Amino acid sequence: MRRRHLLLAGCFVLPVALGAYAQAEAERQLDAAIERLRTGLGPNGTVEWRSRSVDPVTGTARLDGVTVRQGAERMTAAQVVLDGLAGDRVGRAVLSDLRLEGTKRPDQPGPMVMTAGRVTLAGLVLPATGAGPAVNWAEAAVEEAVAEGIRVEAPGRGDAELGRLSLAGYAPGTVREAVLEGFRFTDRREGETRLRLGRARLAGAVVPRIGAEADPWALAADSALIEGAEMGSEKHRMSMRLGRMQLDGWGPGRLTTLAAEGFSVEGETPESGPFVAELGRAGIAGIAGRDTAYAVTHDLNPPQSVQGQEQTASLEGLAVFTAGRPLLRIGAVRARNSWDAAAPGAELGSLAVEGIALDMPAEYGGSWLDRLGFKRVLARLGVDTRMLRGEGRLVSDPFTLQAEGMGSLGVTMDLRGIQIPEPGRPSIAKDDPLAVVGNWSLASMTLRYTEEGLLRALLAQQAARERVPERQLRDRYAQLVQRTPVPGTQAGKEPAEIRGLRDALAAFARDLGTIEIAMRPAKPVPMLEFMTLGSRPPEQAVRSLGITARATPPAR
């Protein structure tokens, strides 16, 4: 019978004892955590609370009416709940009705204040500094963190709100994922500047350690996303909107892909009045984004693509309006840089701009074009290039610009002596732009223009104004070409090269079709020498460049 009584007593006493031990251990861990916080705050820091309790079964600690002070700065929380306190770790922490108040600056009406409805931390690691109890914040880590209902007020300056901020997998210097939602910022110092952000996400990021100096060029990320961004400035009378932007691969040595859509800028200038610019989509791929940006800002040669690497860029749906009227539309811009698989070392480039529609304002030539019958200029342009790095040769074949109902221009060019700047070396283009082309030479160039209506409209307008037949006007221009003296030559004793040019230009004037002017020097002409040929006698320039011309009548 006595043994039964002892067994029953043990069944009651043991849980009570274990509970008392668990509570005592939780109390000890809580006291140790508070002491570490006090030590980290320094001699001017205090930690106070209205009440505290520890659950004897779970070890959960609750502190009500918490106030933490460090000098003039203060943090308060209506309640702090802590679970899993153990040494330098906190399993879970929940802070409710958080308020942080900064130090008041002499030039401000009040201190900056931040409030948050709820902050949740899970898997928090706070390593000690050396052998002491103070926290080494540079080595702090957290598995999950969520802050909700954040508001920041800076009296006399502005305020900001953030609906939700979540962080996953933060270790010293890295973040697995961070998501920001419902951000609003207003700066009232000079008029009102507003910033809105629907959502932003950062993944696989390299960031500064807590307390470390931030180096923007050391930042890296697997991906970054922005959605629903808006910014407006009363002072500059401008607003911007961005529907969505996704960036993948940012950091030293990484190739970047960027896709953006729904971008617009709206504002007003004293010169042109109100304006609106809109862009449907934009994208780039295969570009060393961070390294290129670093090179440009530090006046260094940017990185170059390597064999087998393709780079692309595109724009769609660009539109510009001024004073409520359309000015420019571009349907699409597509650029590509790739390599010829059949010819190693041959780099291929292409650019196409399609769906160009230009409505020139009346005061900038619009009225003149309208009288010619071209109220709106519809055009497209394109260029294909081939770069042979080993030979230092760049061939453009061709560059074309075609204006619907007006005419088309084509240019082919063969350049030699092209040197690809060594990436990362100081750029010489800023101090001496001509140094870039100093070693270039021109092997050949051809200009080809096909008349499709512009010159005919000009001639018709002039013929009507002078009340003469258009054919008579064309003959007049042809005779002008034939009779105009050429400096350095005698009439009737011109070289065959000059007579050939005259005949081709005169034939084009009489029967507007296609005129082609070719430059084929016996050997490549240095670019700097080419730039000075205009000051030489025409005969010498024609012979040095091997200039010829050919006119082709229009197809009938």
Side-chain angles (χ1 to χ4, degrees):
M1 180 65 74
R2 177 178 295 177
R3 289 180 180 177
R4 290 182 180 178
H5 291 164
L6 290 175
L7 182 58
L8 290 173
C11 290
F12 286 104
V13 171
L14 183 59
V16 172
L18 290 175
Y21 175 78
Q23 183 174 10
E25 178 62 18
E27 293 276 6
R28 188 186 68 79
Q29 293 287 359
L30 178 60
D31 289 339
I34 293 172
E35 182 58 29
R36 293 187 68 200
L37 179 58
R38 281 198 179 107
T39 303
L41 293 173
N44 295 325
T46 62
V47 181
E48 301 170 342
W49 57 89
R50 187 176 63 252
S51 64
R52 81 179 215 179
S53 63
V54 176
D55 190 302
V57 178
T58 63
T60 299
R62 287 181 173 82
L63 293 88
D64 296 316
V66 177
T67 301
V68 179
R69 291 186 176 89
Q70 186 179 40
E73 298 180 350
R74 182 176 66 167
M75 184 195 81
T76 64
Q79 186 180 74
V80 177
V81 179
L82 303 172
D83 278 311
L85 288 172
D88 62 354
R89 299 176 182 272
V90 179
R92 180 180 173 84
V94 180
L95 294 81
S96 303
D97 295 333
L98 184 68
R99 176 184 173 91
L100 287 86
E101 186 174 310
T103 303
K104 179 184 177 301
R105 290 168 47 183
D107 58 339
Q108 300 297 335
M112 185 170 70
V113 176
M114 187 190 84
T115 59
R118 182 183 176 91
V119 176
T120 303
L121 305 171
L124 182 63
V125 179
L126 301 173
T129 301
V135 176
N136 182 0
W137 292 104
E139 297 297 325
V142 64
E143 182 57 31
E144 290 185 21
V146 177
E148 299 171 293
I150 302 171
R151 179 175 176 81
V152 179
E153 296 183 12
R157 287 172 287 174
D159 55 72
E161 292 181 356
L162 178 59
R164 190 174 192 270
L165 173 64
S166 61
L167 185 70
Y170 171 78
T174 62
V175 173
R176 187 169 67 244
E177 183 185 57
V179 179
L180 177 152
E181 297 173 283
F183 176 71
R184 179 191 66 79
F185 168 74
T186 304
D187 187 335
R188 298 185 176 86
R189 285 176 292 185
E190 294 182 276
E192 190 171 281
T193 300
R194 303 175 304 279
L195 176 63
R196 305 285 188 275
L197 186 58
R199 183 172 182 267
R201 177 180 178 271
L202 188 67
V206 175
V207 297
R209 291 170 177 253
I210 297 175
E213 184 177 352
D215 177 5
W217 299 111
L219 299 176
D222 292 339
S223 66
L225 170 70
I226 293 176
E227 294 178 318
E230 298 181 14
M231 187 182 77
S233 171
E234 286 184 345
K235 178 183 177 181
H236 298 97
R237 294 184 291 181
M238 182 186 69
S239 64
M240 293 189 297
R241 292 179 177 83
L242 175 64
R244 188 178 191 273
M245 184 177 71
Q246 172 83 37
L247 182 147
D248 297 316
W250 180 268
R254 303 183 69 175
L255 297 181
T256 301
T257 299
L258 173 70
E261 58 186 45
F263 178 73
S264 66
V265 180
E266 185 174 349
E268 185 174 349
T269 65
E271 296 81 13
S272 61
F275 70 89
V276 177
E278 300 173 346
L279 179 61
R281 290 187 179 89
I284 61 171
I287 309 295
R290 179 269 177 197
D291 293 344
T292 299
Y294 181 88
V296 171
T297 55
H298 291 80
D299 295 323
L300 303 175
N301 296 325
Q304 299 290 330
S305 63
V306 297
Q307 180 80 38
Q309 184 183 106
E310 182 174 285
Q311 300 172 323
T312 61
S314 64
L315 298 175
E316 294 180 18
L318 175 64
V320 180
F321 302 84
T322 58
R325 295 186 297 271
L327 174 64
L328 173 67
R329 288 183 182 274
I330 297 179
V333 178
R334 295 182 177 87
R336 182 171 179 263
N337 191 80
S338 60
W339 297 81
D340 189 343
E347 193 171 0
L348 307 178
S350 65
L351 171 68
V353 184
E354 301 172 350
I356 303 173
L358 181 63
D359 294 85
M360 293 295 292
E363 61 272 25
Y364 293 105
S367 297
W368 176 72
L369 285 172
D370 195 9
R371 289 193 298 271
L372 290 174
F374 304 109
K375 186 174 183 63
R376 170 176 289 181
V377 178
L378 303 177
R380 62 184 180 88
L381 67 85
V383 62
D384 292 307
T385 62
R386 184 179 183 88
M387 177 70 195
L388 303 175
R389 292 193 179 185
E391 302 176 19
R393 181 182 181 188
L394 175 65
V395 178
S396 170
D397 187 15
F399 166 84
T400 59
L401 172 61
Q402 183 176 15
E404 185 177 313
M406 301 177 75
S408 61
L409 175 68
V411 180
T412 63
M413 188 178 297
D414 186 352
L415 294 174
R416 309 292 175 87
I418 306 295
Q419 296 178 336
I420 303 299
E422 183 180 350
R425 301 284 296 177
S427 174
I428 62 175
K430 180 180 178 181
D431 298 326
D432 185 6
L434 290 179
V436 177
V437 301
N439 295 321
W440 293 10
S441 60
L442 179 67
S444 66
M445 183 169 67
T446 301
L447 290 85
R448 179 187 178 93
Y449 174 75
T450 299
E451 164 60 16
E452 296 174 2
L454 176 61
L455 297 181
R456 292 190 185 96
L458 287 168
L459 285 171
Q461 186 184 68
Q462 183 179 356
R465 185 171 60 249
E466 297 182 7
R467 298 181 180 180
V468 297
E470 187 178 328
R471 168 54 61 184
Q472 180 179 334
L473 195 59
R474 292 187 185 186
D475 289 339
R476 184 199 304 173
Y477 280 115
Q479 293 172 11
L480 183 65
V481 170
Q482 292 282 18
R483 296 174 181 175
T484 300
V486 175
T489 63
Q490 297 180 8
K493 296 183 179 181
E494 295 176 337
E497 296 87 351
I498 298 294
R499 289 198 304 272
L501 289 175
R502 284 187 186 275
D503 292 343
L505 292 172
F508 177 72
R510 289 191 180 96
D511 200 359
L512 296 173
T514 298
I515 182 70
E516 181 177 283
I517 300 175
M519 303 180 193
R520 297 184 180 91
K523 61 179 181 179
V525 178
M527 189 60 68
L528 297 181
E529 180 182 333
F530 174 74
M531 294 177 180
T532 64
L533 287 175
S535 61
R536 299 184 185 183
E539 180 185 352
Q540 182 181 350
V542 169
R543 285 180 174 174
S544 297
L545 294 176
I547 298 178
T548 60
R550 182 181 64 177
T552 305
R556 292 183 172 85

